[in-house]
Each structure stands twice: as structure tokens, then as C-alpha cells.
Amino acid sequence: MSDLTYAYAQPSALAHQPEGDTLLLAAYAENAPASGATCFFRGQLRDSWLTARGLTTLAKVVASRFVPQSAALRDPIVTAGAGQLRFEAFSSCNGVYARLDLGPAALDGEFVQSGTTNVDFNEPMVNALSRIGRAEPVRLSVGQQAVTLERAAGHVTERKVALPERWIKGLTAAQGYLAQMDEKLRLGRTQAAQLLHSLPSGTAKGAIHLMLRGARLSFSPVGGPGAVRVGGAHRLRLLEGLLPLTQAARVYSTPDGQASAVVLELGGGHEFLLALSAEVNRGFSGEGTQLGALLDELPAEWLAGANNLFRGNETFNPTLFGLAHDLAPATVERLCASLSAMGLLGFDLSTNQYFYRRLPFKTDRILRLNPRLKNARTLLSNADDVQLVGVGSGGRTEARVRGTDAWHTVLVGGADAPRCTCQWFSSHQGQRGVCKHVLAAQLRFAA
């Protein structure tokens, strides 16, 4: 899978200037102009110390990895617009998704333009963040201002970084899980500060459950009513620096327990979200829970039309969008899945709404970032690779689908979930999306 290589004209830094300190976050958008001189926001941080704590925790997430690998530190992305900034990042292993939201109450400045961009998180800048004092005034610039360009005249520092496309896949899966989540626990200031007190030491071998017993939080190997399944719970320690500052917290989970999330309400327009995959060895980029909604391709002009309607961080309400444009619910679901597959949709648990990212509109990403769907379409190119065996009662269809080394029996349609005899299905039982054989049968024999 190819990565996008981008470069910053100068590194991010906390600059000491006569008029005060300025946090200059160097930006490079995938669709940036040739000059790279794009500025998204400039203004004052109303609580620079709290913002710095949030950004430092985000940097901690980016630098972490919970399975052995040699991935280098990656730079977060930020979406600017609608009066707010959203900083998003994954752990290097892609199993932890984090987001720092700075709402209107956290910012006092000008949004020069809306959009989504990468920001340089270099080590000196992160170290400078940790030294920002509680009452220290700091201005923020996301992107390059003219004064910055003038100072950089004649001296260009390029730091080329490969932005992995698996981040786009991770964004797709993370928002898919977030959109399914229900609030399970609401914690007050004291409970939030004590969130990790009963967490077993060391690395969690399997999933454990977070629950409230009276007013006391506890972790247990056995779940119960209202308990939240947390896979790899030791990853919650990434929040250690923010929990003492939290005014309240909310804990979420998907109905099937395949993902969980904690939202910290930090006050002053600051919120921090940490979402965990089902297990430590499962990165969000490997999930395929939305593949079924991508089977029927929508016309590219439909997707382009929807994309042209939204700016960065604007709310995307599928129901209202469908009503406004006279679209059937199934079509709206396919539209959401397609936009998400290009990395264009995020999900805000606080408002229970999707928000838009202004990434380049590239429909080829849908197949390129979903190899199971691409392989299913390849199977269909040969009529003999997907064969009908018969149709049973209730519309249940049995098919034979050619695999790499053997033929597989596939059951699709009817009231029951799809099934396949391949190793992928046997290992995951549909929890990570269906296999290419099921997708091929669904495409071939769909009613």
C-alpha cells in the first residue's frame, strides 16, 4: 500500500516573540498549493496550559505502540472550521484513536479557511509544550502566516514524512465504531481522577470490564449489567496526564463490545477522546465492518455533489440529508459508507453527529483501501469463480466460491448472518467484517 509523502517548509515550534509566545504548527495538506503557504487558524488560546496538556497527551498517543513493530512517529491531522479545531491521531500500532477538540470557548481568533491538514509534531515542539505555564499567554497559528514566511525567506527546512494510508482506513473504522456507540457510564470529577486506580498492573492479557459499584469504579474480569468491555485496558494509561484535570468523563461502548471510548470533559471548550480497538493486536485499519454498505456503488457525481456541500467540521446529519434530497435510507447508508471510506467523515460522540473532513476527493480510495471488496470484484470477473448451489427456504442462498487453495461454501441472504468456510471467517466470525468470498456471493446473487 502506497503512502503519501509530504514535507513541511519549516518545523513547528513555540516561538518567543516581542508580542508574546506563539505556537506555530507547521501544516501541509494533501491538497496544499505548490507554495505550501496555507493558514487555517491564527489567534489566541484562552487556556494555553490546558491546550498544551491535551496536545502533549495526543503526542503521547502518537508515539506509543502496543504491539512490536518499527513504525516511526506520525504527525496528527487537524480539521479547522465551524469555529473549532479537531486534532486527530492514532497510536503507531493503529489500535488507539485519539482526538483533542478545541471548541469556540477555547479559541479567540480567526479561521482563515476551513480544511484538513497534517501538522508537524516534532520532539522540540512537544518538549516546549510541556513547559508552558498555567497563566502563560500563547497565540496559535495552524499553518503558515506571512510573517513566518518572511522570517523563513532564504532558509527552508523540509522534513519529509510518509503519511500511511492505513490512517485513512483507521479513520473510516473508528468513526464507524463511534457511530454505533452508546453512553454506558458517566463519571464525576473524583471518579474520573480515579479511573485507573483499580486497573491491574502490567499488560492486560485479555479484555476486562469497567463498572460502577455504587459510586466506586472498578475493573473486573467478569462483566455485569452496565459494564463496559475494554480490550487492552492498560492502554487507558495514556490518559494519566489528563485525568486529574477532568471535570467529568463519559464511557462508551459498541453494542457488541468490539470497541470502547472515553471522553474527557476538560472545560473551557476542551474535550479529549480516546477510543480503543477490541484487542491490543487489532488495529482499526484492519476492520471492515462497513464493507457490506459499499457493495452497491453510487454514481461518482452523487458523491462529488455531497462532498461539495460541506466544509471542514460542518455537521453531516444523514437523516436530514436524505430528507432534503429525497434519498431512501439505504442510499443514505451507502453514501455515508462511501464518504467514510475516503476518510471524509468523523463522528462526534458529544453531539451524536458526523462531522466533515476536507480531504481530497478521491473515489479510487474506496477500492484501494478495502482490498477485500476489491478482491471480491476480481472474483466476479470470472463467472466460474462464484457458483450457485441452491436457494433454500427464507431466501438463504448457498454458493461455492473459489479461494486461494480451495473452494469455500458460502451462505448469504435470509434472516441469518452470512457464513463462509474460509479461515478468515472461522477466525473472526464476522466481527471484523465479512470475507471476500461472502462479498462476492452477495454481489453475484443480490436480489
Side-chain angles (χ1 to χ4, degrees), residues 69-295:
Q69 62 176 34
S70 58
L73 182 146
R74 309 292 187 180
D75 293 334
I77 63 173
V78 58
T79 298
Q84 58 189 318
L85 297 173
R86 300 182 191 269
F87 293 84
E88 300 177 274
F90 288 93
S91 60
S92 293
C93 55
N94 212 244
V96 180
Y97 165 73
R99 191 175 77 233
L100 173 65
D101 290 347
L102 303 181
L107 304 167
D108 182 12
E110 173 190 10
F111 283 85
V112 180
Q113 62 177 300
S114 68
T116 301
T117 179
N118 308 103
V119 289
D120 171 35
F121 258 38
N122 60 70
E123 187 173 349
M125 188 274 295
V126 173
N127 291 337
L129 285 174
S130 66
R131 296 193 295 270
I132 290 177
R134 283 185 176 270
E136 186 175 347
V138 175
R139 293 179 58 81
L140 172 66
S141 169
V142 179
Q144 296 166 310
Q145 302 181 79
V147 63
T148 306
L149 291 174
E150 289 172 4
R151 292 184 61 195
H155 178 74
V156 176
T157 302
E158 289 194 355
R159 186 171 74 85
K160 293 187 177 181
V161 180
L163 178 67
E165 286 191 336
R166 68 190 181 116
W167 272 40
I168 304 294
K169 294 179 65 177
L171 291 171
T172 297
Q175 71 83 21
Y177 280 125
L178 292 173
Q180 299 175 36
M181 287 186 181
D182 299 312
E183 182 181 320
K184 297 294 186 180
L185 302 172
R186 184 174 287 265
L187 314 178
R189 183 191 297 268
T190 302
Q191 292 169 321
Q194 297 175 344
L195 175 63
L196 303 181
H197 283 194
S198 63
L199 183 64
S201 60
T203 300
K205 299 297 183 182
I208 57 178
H209 297 82
L210 178 64
M211 61 181 68
L212 273 174
R213 290 175 173 167
R216 185 179 179 84
L217 275 174
S218 64
F219 287 92
S220 170
V222 180
V228 177
R229 181 190 183 277
V230 184
H234 58 285
R235 296 178 290 177
L236 291 173
R237 293 196 181 96
L238 292 166
L239 297 175
E240 284 177 325
L242 288 181
L243 289 173
L245 313 177
T246 300
Q247 297 182 358
R250 307 186 305 275
V251 184
Y252 295 80
S253 178
T254 58
D256 58 6
Q258 291 300 298
S260 57
V262 178
V263 176
L264 305 184
E265 301 173 11
L266 302 173
H270 298 71
E271 278 198 350
F272 195 94
L273 177 145
L274 192 82
L276 304 179
S277 61
E279 307 294 345
V280 172
N281 60 355
R282 279 177 59 174
F284 281 110
S285 60
E287 307 296 272
T289 55
Q290 293 184 291
L291 287 172
L294 294 172
L295 287 176

Side-chain angles (χ1 to χ4, degrees), residues 371-439:
R372 273 178 270 168
L373 181 60
K374 182 178 181 180
N375 291 338
R377 296 193 185 281
T378 300
L379 283 170
L380 291 179
S381 63
N382 187 337
D384 293 333
D385 285 351
V386 183
Q387 301 175 2
L388 177 65
V389 174
V391 179
S393 60
R396 192 71 163 166
T397 299
E398 180 179 345
R400 293 177 72 241
V401 181
R402 187 189 300 274
T404 304
D405 300 312
W407 286 85
H408 300 295
T409 299
V410 174
L411 296 174
V412 296
D416 295 329
R419 299 194 63 83
C420 181
T421 57
C422 73
Q423 183 60 47
W424 172 269
F425 188 89
S426 299
S427 299
H428 304 294
Q429 295 294 310
Q431 290 183 342
R432 304 189 70 178
V434 293
C435 62
K436 64 181 180 181
H437 314 107
V438 167
L439 290 171

